[in-house]
Amino acid sequence: MIFLPYEKIELYTEDWMVCQSKLGVERLVQIMRQMANEYYSQGDGWRSLICCSMGIYIIEGSGFKEEAPCEYFYFHAIRSCIHRESSRYDQGIDDALIALSYYDKCEVQASSDKIFLLCNLQQLYIANDDLGKAIELGGSILPLIKSTYGEKSREYIDYAILESSLLINKAEYGNAIIELNGLTEIVKQFEGERSIDYATVLRYLGAAYMLMGNKKKAAECLMNSKTLQFEITGTVDGATKQYLKELGYE
């Protein structure tokens, strides 16, 4: 039954009622969660999705929703990721929003789980060409990452770089420059100036200055980024070369 399309699960209600009478709803939900997690960790999104859908179906059909908020959160969160990976963005957004509404009801749920869910939702918005909602969501994600991992952390720096790139894509160059200038100081303290992250931040900063019309500052940042990239990796990425070419330096 687990290997049937999840749209057909309702056809087997009677069989599942028999299972429920023998195992109990709580145990069935636990089994579905274990299987969903196992399949997802193995990269088998289709079977994991079926297990998530079955778990949701059991919870909703038995009126167990309020007694199992963490399981309900988990099934929708994982199913949302699977939908994103399969380019079903609208369905993924719906699942992510449902999961988010149940997060606060989970007393033992870690903040890292919420970060994971919010980042997945943001990626869904980006894939769905809704940069406005993606950037708005970033206002919740970055403070949560800061409070969970601290500013001087891999998680904070990686996400701050992503958030700055979104601001640039949304043509919010001034805000991007403010964020990136602050980030340069954090990266300096965390990794030092001779790091690939510092070079990446300078590249984005140069792009923001260039798009804003400040060619002098743009060239300064991009040339420094180019030098660092070459010294650290022996190569220079295509974006940096293209920006410098547009500025007349290549």
Side-chain angles (χ1 to χ4, degrees), residues 10-109:
E10 292 187 18
L11 297 175
Y12 296 85
T13 303
E14 186 175 344
D15 291 340
W16 271 101
M17 290 304 292
V18 172
C19 289
Q20 287 182 24
S21 67
K22 292 182 178 180
L23 295 176
V25 173
E26 186 175 355
R27 181 56 183 152
L28 280 174
V29 169
Q30 288 175 354
I31 291 171
M32 288 300 107
R33 177 167 177 167
Q34 289 169 1
M35 292 178 69
N37 181 62
E38 184 67 22
Y39 282 131
Y40 189 70
S41 65
Q42 292 175 0
D44 194 337
W46 173 243
R47 286 179 177 151
S48 181
L49 182 144
I50 293 172
C51 292
C52 288
S53 297
M54 181 63 78
I56 292 168
Y57 176 72
I58 294 169
I59 290 172
E60 291 180 342
S62 63
F64 194 57
K65 191 186 299 185
E66 297 306 317
E67 287 75 26
C70 292
E71 286 74 13
Y72 204 63
F73 164 87
Y74 178 85
F75 287 133
H76 280 288
I78 295 302
R79 196 168 73 170
S80 173
C81 293
I82 297 167
H83 283 316
R84 177 174 59 81
E85 291 162 5
S86 302
S87 302
R88 296 187 292 268
Y89 305 130
D90 288 333
Q91 290 166 281
I93 289 169
D94 289 342
D95 270 321
L97 291 173
I98 292 171
L100 190 59
S101 71
Y102 273 82
Y103 173 83
D104 290 333
K105 298 178 183 180
C106 303
E107 296 180 0
V108 297
Q109 212 69 30

